[in-house]
Amino acid sequence: LINVCDKPVIQYVLSALKTAKKIDRIIVATTKITPKTTALMRQLGVEVVETPGNDYVSDMGYVVSTLKLGVFLAIAADLPLVKGEMIDAVMERYERCGKPALTVAVPLETKAKLGMCIEYSFDTDDKQKVVPVGINVIDGSKRYGDEWLDQDIYVMTQEELAVNINTVQELALAERLLAVQNKK
């Protein structure tokens, strides 16, 4: 619920999901320790599922099994610059890839150029260093416990996808970039 330009960051993500043509249902996963998020989502008319709050992966598994989800997009709530057309591009790539999972990443140098924190990176098959952005598409019907699914890596170059908010400096960057976007 951190405010970015006087609006909770999750509302930017919700706006992007609502404008994406390939998204037909929005569900926000919360826990008992996030009652304000749950309340805001209900106030906004967004479907909410309260998870046990163990960790990201097991909570996602809980949502998938509880709602019996097939293919779904999981997106972090701290991506204020994501747009609906970016989400549609991700879904189109997933539809073409032929694998049960897709991870979206940006080049490591994109994050570094913006001065973003880099906690984790990995090499793609062609040895490009990338950082996951917090967007995944998964076929829930193929998910068996915590086993690793064969996945495609979709490297997107839009700087907007590299901006997620984990520090005060990243919040300031997001606000500067949103101010520039709003002037256009």
Side-chain angles (χ1 to χ4, degrees), residues 11-166:
Q11 286 190 264
Y12 293 97
V13 177
L14 291 173
S15 293
L17 291 167
K18 288 176 182 177
T19 62
K21 294 176 179 71
K22 298 206 168 258
I23 300 298
D24 60 12
R25 184 178 181 191
I26 299 171
I27 304 160
V28 174
T30 63
T31 70
K32 64 183 174 205
I33 64 169
T34 59
K36 290 179 183 176
T37 303
T38 301
L40 177 62
M41 293 305 98
R42 290 194 171 128
Q43 177 186 341
L44 295 173
V46 177
E47 185 176 356
V48 175
V49 173
E50 191 170 301
T51 67
N54 296 326
D55 61 61
Y56 182 81
V57 173
S58 63
D59 284 355
M60 185 169 37
Y62 175 85
V63 173
V64 170
S65 63
T66 300
L67 299 178
K68 307 210 181 330
L69 297 179
V71 173
F72 67 96
L73 178 128
I75 184 168
D78 65 352
L79 297 167
L81 300 169
V82 68
K83 300 288 180 247
E85 56 269 12
M86 296 170 186
I87 293 169
D88 285 335
V90 169
M91 295 306 296
E92 288 166 10
R93 172 66 176 257
Y94 175 79
E95 290 165 355
R96 291 190 315 268
C97 80
K99 295 185 177 185
L102 174 95
T103 293
V104 179
V106 293
L108 182 110
E109 59 266 13
T110 301
K111 296 272 285 186
K113 182 176 86 173
L114 290 168
M116 304 288 297
C117 293
I118 301 168
E119 295 178 16
Y120 172 74
S121 67
F122 63 94
D123 291 334
T124 61
D125 289 342
D126 62 354
K127 304 299 179 213
Q128 180 181 17
K129 283 218 172 290
V130 297
V131 179
V133 301
I135 301 175
N136 300 82
V137 184
I138 302 164
D139 183 344
S141 69
K142 302 262 194 293
R143 188 173 184 278
Y144 304 104
D146 289 328
E147 85 179 41
W148 191 257
L149 293 176
D150 186 25
Q151 67 177 331
D152 187 24
I153 306 300
Y154 185 21
V155 180
M156 298 181 77
T157 58
Q158 293 95 329
E159 282 186 349
E160 296 91 342
L161 290 173
V163 179
N164 65 327
I165 300 171
N166 295 307

